[in-house]
Amino acid sequence: MHRRFIAPGAFAAASVLLAIPASAASVSPGAPGIGDPYYPAYGNGGYDVSHYDLRLKYQPATDRLEGTATLLAKTTQDLSRFNLDFLLDVSEVRVNGTKAAFATSGEHELEITPKTPLAKGTAITVVVRYSGVPSSKQAYGFTSWHRTPDGGVGANEPEAAWWWFPSNDHPLDKATYDVSVQVPDGTQAISNGTLQSTTSRAGWTRFNWRSDKPQATYLATLAVGRFDITTGTTDSGIPVVNAYSKDLGDNAGAARASIERTGEIADWLTEYFGPYPYNALGGYVPNVTTGYALETQTRPFYSPRQFAAGSNTSVVVHELAHQWYGDLVSVAGWKDIWINEGFARYAQWLWSEHEGEGTAQEIADYVYASRPADDPFWTVKPGDPGPENQFHLAVYDRGALTLQALRNEIGDEAFFAILKGWPQKYAHGNATVADFRTYAEEVSGKSLGALFDTWLFQASKPAAPAAREVSISARALGTPGAPAQPKSWKKIAATNGVHEQEHGHEQAHGHEQAHEETRAHTD
């Protein structure tokens, strides 16, 4: 009786389920984060963006930004709703032309519910109308929008987009960009890529910029202010646009003397990393109070403080090296930061060699010797430093030391083949530290697990035998035959704060460490 009683109910339930389309049965919200353990709320699940079209109007006097963002994307699951990372005030959202419901949640999430669920594999167009004062917005207790005397700047890592455009804010979702910005006459708007056109009407000028190669969200930048702009072309034919705030004061000359060498340095880097990957080049120095520089794609951001002690081509080398290591090939997760910073730092070592101010080997010997085994520096693992140490000096210096150890282990021919081949293998994509090890083993024909583990993943100084094994001098400073400080060291050390926080909430502790490390290195 019991069984016979339940059977009709089961059939009825089955028939009801059959009446529902299969896609509707599996519809669910996209994840509020893309899955990065360092920053669980960053990025979003359920879709992939291919293009951002940003049409903006900015008033420097009040820091008010108005915008319409159009995102072209494709769903990666059956979606009932999805998130964008964003902080400004939203007035309307449309999905495929139809008004969608929206709400905010968490520190920086915009939740969008389309009128009807979206099937997996659907091309979607999302339009967000918004406005606000970026400098008034904070998330996790910080802001990535820099107010300047004549405008504002969006530039930071690992997050900057939330303050000026809605996005899927993680390097795993790269896209192309059109950025069109209307500003009062006499003010300029600087962004990534090539300037397509400028038009003026009724006291306003519109600047239209285009980035036609995939670009991570943190590498997109916007700067509005009064700039002196220089243009040129590299020997290889790439157009160069540099911009300098008109009120850089005493740092103006040193900034120009450094950044005007961008074309020369980029051409030099092609010898090591292969062809320059983009159709635009340059740099900009707004009048910000912050201290770091950032590899914003095609047009790095530099703070005036980078040039307070005079010209510094080393920081330009660092940011331009990132155009290959960080921009062309981006991290798969933020724990892979060594692939960005270790290589950009090593490029500075190669530049030192080029300038006759100390070879990469001499700098490696000095880095190893200058830190005793009990220095906390060695407790940071560059291969997975943790969010609190993402921009710790060890990721840079110990990270570059790892590359010298690799070079000595496999020889120059294989090493430089790897440096040039890696950006081609993962061009416009993402990769992990494990991917790099695999690639280095393929090219060199050597098993490198022990080497990478010793230099990247141990929370201790590699012992003297390990150093000697890869031809790193194990003589301590102050002993006979110890390494001397290379001539380039102070210039390289001056860039130690190149990404110091300021970068994000989890780096508050790292920010202080960066200051301590910089002081230790420059005294």
Side-chain angles (χ1 to χ4, degrees):
M1 278 297 289
H2 192 53
R3 271 186 222 134
R4 290 179 64 161
F5 176 73
I6 211 159
F11 280 120
S15 63
V16 170
L17 282 173
L18 289 171
I20 301 170
S23 61
S26 60
V27 160
S28 59
I34 210 165
D36 193 313
Y38 277 25
Y39 303 99
Y42 288 24
N44 306 284
Y47 64 94
D48 187 82
V49 182
S50 60
H51 184 71
Y52 291 91
D53 182 271
L54 308 177
R55 194 164 178 86
L56 312 172
K57 182 179 184 180
Y58 180 77
Q59 178 53 265
T62 58
D63 195 41
R64 181 171 173 80
L65 179 69
E66 298 170 46
T68 301
T70 304
L71 284 65
L72 306 182
K74 183 173 274 192
T75 57
T76 56
Q77 68 180 68
D78 294 330
L79 275 179
S80 59
R81 75 163 192 260
F82 59 93
N83 287 17
L84 293 171
D85 300 299
F86 196 46
L87 289 173
L88 298 186
D89 304 320
V90 174
S91 58
E92 183 181 73
V93 178
R94 288 180 179 265
V95 178
N96 292 342
T98 305
K99 279 190 179 181
F102 60 91
T104 58
S105 65
E107 292 267 344
H108 69 278
E109 301 286 336
L110 174 66
E111 290 187 355
I112 297 170
T113 306
K115 196 167 185 179
T116 54
L118 304 167
K120 180 180 178 179
T122 302
I124 60 172
T125 302
V126 183
V127 176
V128 182
R129 294 183 184 276
Y130 59 92
S131 62
V133 176
S135 60
S136 71
K137 301 292 186 182
Q138 286 203 339
Y140 308 101
F142 69 93
T143 178
S144 288
W145 184 262
H146 313 281
R147 190 76 164 102
T148 61
D150 54 9
V153 180
N156 211 343
E157 181 185 15
E159 67 293 284
W162 317 338
W163 283 264
W164 66 285
F165 70 98
S167 68
N168 191 17
D169 192 26
H170 191 276
L172 278 174
D173 194 356
K174 298 162 89 162
T176 54
Y177 285 74
D178 281 309
V179 179
S180 175
V181 193
Q182 193 178 39
V183 294
D185 287 350
T187 297
Q188 293 105 332
I190 307 295
S191 191
N192 313 78
T194 55
L195 183 63
Q196 300 289 298
S197 63
T198 57
T199 55
S200 293
R201 183 167 173 259
W204 293 79
T205 302
R206 183 171 285 284
F207 293 81
N208 297 295
W209 293 91
R210 170 167 289 177
S211 282
D212 67 350
K213 293 288 190 290
Q215 176 173 289
T217 41
Y218 85 95
L219 298 172
T221 190
L222 173 65
V224 177
R226 294 176 179 271
F227 294 98
D228 287 327
I229 293 176
T230 66
T231 59
T233 310
T234 68
D235 281 347
S236 55
I238 309 290
V240 183
V241 177
N242 297 324
Y244 307 90
S245 173
K246 288 181 182 286
D247 54 2
L248 291 180
D250 292 346
N251 296 333
R256 285 183 183 239
S258 309
I259 294 163
E260 287 302 304
R261 295 183 69 184
T262 289
E264 170 202 346
I265 291 168
D267 279 343
W268 173 78
L269 282 167
T270 65
E271 298 170 24
Y272 293 100
F273 298 157
Y276 179 71
Y278 307 112
N279 64 353
L281 190 60
Y284 75 95
V285 192
N287 187 19
V288 292
T289 56
T290 189
Y292 59 83
L294 184 65
E295 63 269 20
T296 40
Q297 194 158 305
T298 70
R299 191 152 292 107
F301 158 91
Y302 301 94
S303 81
R305 234 197 290 170
Q306 293 289 332
F307 310 102
S311 64
N312 189 348
T313 51
S314 193
V315 71
V316 178
V317 170
H318 185 102
E319 299 310 330
L320 291 179
H322 275 314
Q323 303 304 307
W324 288 264
Y325 282 83
D327 295 12
L328 179 59
V329 183
S330 300
V331 295
W334 284 111
K335 73 181 179 66
D336 301 307
I337 191 67
W338 170 71
I339 291 177
N340 296 11
E341 303 306 344
F343 292 77
R345 175 64 102 221
Y346 195 74
Q348 292 176 266
W349 293 12
L350 293 172
W351 180 252
S352 166
E353 204 163 293
H354 173 69
E355 295 285 273
E357 295 185 339
T359 65
Q361 182 66 58
E362 287 166 346
I363 301 170
D365 289 341
Y366 185 75
V367 167
Y368 182 85
S370 64
R371 302 272 184 182
D374 61 357
D375 191 316
F377 171 91
W378 298 107
T379 65
V380 175
K381 300 177 286 186
D384 187 0
E388 71 285 353
N389 287 317
Q390 188 180 339
F391 300 102
H392 191 283
L393 191 61
V395 177
Y396 296 70
D397 279 358
R398 184 176 173 180
L401 185 58
T402 302
L403 289 172
Q404 186 64 30
L406 174 65
R407 179 180 175 179
N408 291 344
E409 174 73 12
I410 66 176
D412 277 10
E413 187 178 350
F415 178 75
F416 288 112
I418 289 166
L419 277 195
K420 194 171 279 191
W422 170 261
Q424 296 306 311
K425 182 174 174 68
Y426 289 97
H428 307 299
N430 305 76
T432 66
V433 174
D435 291 330
F436 184 82
R437 175 192 150 186
T438 300
Y439 182 70
E441 289 180 333
E442 285 172 4
V443 173
S444 68
K446 290 196 169 196
S447 175
L448 299 168
L451 182 141
F452 280 113
D453 184 61
T454 298
W455 294 91
L456 285 183
F457 292 103
Q458 293 301 316
S460 57
K461 182 174 183 175
R468 283 192 287 269
E469 201 172 281
V470 290
S471 305
I472 303 293
S473 171
R475 294 180 184 274
L477 293 187
T479 62
Q485 186 181 96
K487 277 186 190 174
S488 61
W489 185 252
K490 287 191 174 174
K491 288 180 186 173
I492 294 170
T495 68
N496 284 347
V498 79
H499 288 166
E500 69 184 22
Q501 292 305 41
E502 297 138 338
H503 278 101
H505 55 294
E506 275 112 342
Q507 267 74 29
H509 179 57
H511 180 51
E512 294 309 311
Q513 282 183 316
H515 278 298
E516 291 304 316
E517 297 287 3
T518 304
R519 203 171 295 126
H521 270 61
T522 52
D523 282 352

